[in-house]
Amino acid sequence: MSGLGRRHHRELLVSDLDGTLLRPDATLSAFTVSVVNEYIAGGGLFTYATARSYTSAARVTAPLRLRLPVMTYGGVVVVDPVTGQARQAQFLPAALVEEVFRLTEGSRLVQPIVYVIREGRDRACWLADRITPGVANFLRARPGDPRLLPLSTRDDIDAASVFYVSLIGDRQPLHELFELLSDAPGGCHFVLAEDIYSAGQWWLELTSGTKAAAVAALKAEVAAETVTCFGDQLNDLPMFAVADTALAVANAAPEVRAAATQVIGANTDDGVARWIAATATSADPLNSGGAGPVPVQVGHRRSAGRGGSRPAVR
């Protein structure tokens, strides 16, 4: 990896997972694992920011020897990759959650999957007696997932404990909900986009944070001089806005390529790893022994997005 070590400042690298660091089959290539681990072993600052839960992300990133906090659920929940414990979660306004419940009450087209922190861990909850096709697909893809917690009634959930809401289904009913909800007060972030793994299946997601706020906070915590972000989809645009260098993989959505500092190789060609091997920042000589996980505070930002494709929270 002769490219490692060409520049000499503290540079934080943050990569999206699905469609960016991961190959189309949602795995890491041996080349990517080797490059990233060599970069980290040399004291380089590397982590990921994903729409996935930590449960799902940890499974696909297991070969990586990560040290820094990782950003999950679109930056809303920051997790220590060594212990697997959540360090911070940004909760949605209870009034917004209640409005989602009201707008979907009795609907057979869309029902929310709400994510809460319960007994120290994240749980994914839905009404067990109202399974829409989108919820059915979600459950079918997650047999044995320890996060799953079916509900018998909405009263089983405290709206103030919800940090993430997903609604899955056809575009039209979700677009209508997007229009109704995206002007709601409370500083929330909305994304409506198609799942990159399931054509025709759309997700509307509501959070109180973005990858941008988490990335900016981590930059300060680790005293990085610059941040380089890698991404491919609309939910990566906020972190592109706070990055010193924003790199879109060649397979990225048009809006993401347009917002990027540079377009690099596609995820099918290990674009992120090849960029790191060729041009990444060197290890900090004072930190060559590596650093342990660093505490991070997640910020709050209002924005909205729509269209494009995105990896489902998994």
Side-chain angles (χ1 to χ4, degrees), residues 5-312:
R6 292 188 180 178
R7 298 202 298 263
H8 299 280
H9 64 275
R10 285 177 65 80
E11 180 175 33
L12 172 63
L13 306 186
V14 182
S15 181
D16 172 56
L17 293 181
D18 296 276
T20 303
L21 192 67
L22 301 180
R23 295 179 292 188
D25 63 356
T27 64
L28 292 169
S29 72
F31 178 74
T32 290
V33 170
S34 175
V35 168
V36 172
N37 282 343
E38 181 177 336
Y39 179 72
I40 294 171
L45 304 174
F46 179 92
T47 189
Y48 64 75
T50 182
R52 288 178 180 248
S53 68
Y54 179 70
T55 299
S56 172
R59 190 164 56 242
V60 296
T61 60
L64 301 180
R65 302 189 186 101
L66 299 166
R67 296 169 177 168
L68 298 182
V70 297
M71 291 155 272
T72 66
Y73 290 105
V76 175
V77 180
V78 177
V79 179
D80 180 332
V82 177
T83 66
Q85 294 297 305
R87 292 170 173 255
Q88 180 83 16
Q90 287 289 329
F91 296 100
L92 285 161
L96 177 61
V97 177
E98 294 289 359
E99 181 67 359
V100 172
F101 289 161
R102 186 186 71 79
L103 291 172
T104 57
E105 184 68 32
S107 173
R108 292 290 174 179
L109 295 177
V110 289
Q111 281 296 315
I113 299 169
V114 297
Y115 295 81
V116 301
I117 300 294
R118 182 170 290 190
E119 297 178 354
R121 64 156 302 132
D122 56 322
R123 304 300 296 266
C125 309
W126 71 98
L127 281 179
D129 66 348
R130 196 175 298 157
I131 304 294
T132 62
V135 173
N137 289 339
F138 176 88
L139 298 176
R140 193 177 301 117
R142 296 159 180 81
D145 190 323
R147 298 173 299 153
L148 300 181
L149 180 65
L151 306 176
S152 58
T153 173
R154 296 278 188 229
D155 294 337
D156 292 339
I157 283 293
D158 175 6
S161 70
V162 176
F163 65 85
Y164 203 103
V165 174
S166 291
L167 299 108
I168 313 166
D170 294 334
R171 185 183 186 279
Q172 185 57 38
L174 293 181
H175 177 75
E176 292 173 3
L177 279 172
F178 178 93
E179 294 295 330
L180 290 169
L181 292 168
S182 60
D183 290 331
C188 297
H189 183 66
F190 301 80
V191 173
L192 172 62
E194 188 176 21
D195 189 332
I196 65 173
Y197 297 123
S198 302
Q201 180 169 273
W202 286 71
W203 290 61
L204 172 59
E205 297 173 323
L206 290 65
T207 71
S208 277
T210 65
K211 294 180 179 182
V215 168
L218 182 58
K219 176 185 178 182
E221 291 289 343
V222 301
E225 296 176 47
T226 61
V227 174
T228 294
C229 291
F230 306 85
D232 73 311
Q233 294 301 335
L234 297 185
N235 66 349
D236 296 317
L237 290 176
M239 71 173 180
F240 271 26
V242 300
D244 298 282
T245 303
L247 302 176
V249 286
N251 53 286
E255 300 94 325
V256 179
R257 295 198 303 271
T261 307
Q262 177 186 348
V263 176
I264 61 174
N267 68 329
T268 54
D269 192 36
D270 299 317
V272 173
R274 293 188 185 282
W275 185 92
I276 294 173
T279 62
T281 306
S282 70
D284 180 349
L286 299 178
N287 190 35
S288 58
V294 179
V296 64
Q297 296 290 312
V298 183
H300 197 69
R301 175 184 175 128
R302 176 177 175 79
S303 60
R306 72 180 77 190
S309 300
R310 50 97 46 216

